[in-house]
Amino acid sequence: MASIFAFRTRSPDRDRETDVTRFEQLARSLDQLTSEIDAERTGIRNRYEAVSANAAFLVEAMDNSEASSRRADDMDRWTESLKTCLRRIEALGRQTEFIAGLRHALDTFVDESRKADEGSSAASAPEEVRHRP
C-alpha cells in the first residue's frame, strides 16, 4: 500500500528551466515566421517592380505606336498581377502585425512570470535573506 505522504513535487528550478525552454521555442517559432513573411514580401515586391517596369515600357511603346493594340491583353494581365501583388503585400503586413502582437504578448508574459517567480522566491526566503542590506 502506497503512502500518501510519499508524494513529491518537482523542483521549482526544474519548472523554471522547462518554462524557459518552452517559451524560447515559441519565440524562435515566431521569429522564424517573421523571417518567412519578410522573405515572401521581398519576393513579391521584386515581382511587382518587374511587372511595373514591363507595363511602363509597354505603355510607352503603345503611345509611340511601336506596339500593337493586341498587347493590351498583356497590359490587362499585368494590371491584375499588380493588384494581386498589392493585396498579398497587404495581407503579409497584417500577418506581420499579428505576429508582432503575439511576440509582444509572449515577452510580456515571460517578463511578468519571471517577476512573479522572483517575488515568490523572495517571499519564501528566510527572513534574514529577504532583509539583507
Side-chain angles (χ1 to χ4, degrees), residues 11-130:
S11 153
D13 290 337
R14 183 174 174 199
D15 289 343
R16 274 190 289 280
E17 289 173 13
T18 300
D19 292 345
V20 166
T21 300
R22 181 177 295 125
F23 293 119
E24 284 176 348
Q25 180 182 2
L26 180 54
R28 282 190 306 273
S29 294
L30 293 173
D31 291 344
Q32 177 67 33
L33 288 172
T34 299
S35 294
E36 291 171 8
I37 291 168
D38 289 344
E40 183 179 351
R41 186 176 25 226
T42 297
I44 291 172
R45 282 185 180 147
N46 290 342
R47 217 169 311 139
Y48 181 89
E49 290 172 12
V51 170
S52 293
N54 287 340
F57 286 126
L58 180 57
V59 167
E60 186 177 335
M62 289 172 77
D63 287 346
N64 295 331
S65 301
E66 296 172 7
S68 69
S69 58
R70 292 183 306 198
R71 299 288 312 260
D73 288 341
D74 290 339
M75 184 60 75
D76 290 341
R77 278 196 315 276
W78 290 339
T79 299
E80 283 306 309
S81 180
L82 291 173
K83 288 178 185 178
T84 300
C85 286
L86 290 175
R87 282 192 299 269
R88 185 61 183 160
I89 288 170
E90 205 173 289
L92 292 172
R94 287 191 308 274
Q95 289 178 24
T96 298
E97 289 174 11
F98 177 72
I99 292 172
L102 290 175
R103 183 58 195 255
H104 177 73
L106 173 64
D107 292 343
T108 300
F109 181 82
V110 168
D111 190 46
E112 289 172 356
S113 295
R114 183 181 44 78
K115 288 176 183 174
D117 284 347
E118 289 171 357
S120 66
S121 295
S124 65
E127 187 68 27
E128 66 275 2
V129 173
R130 283 187 281 170

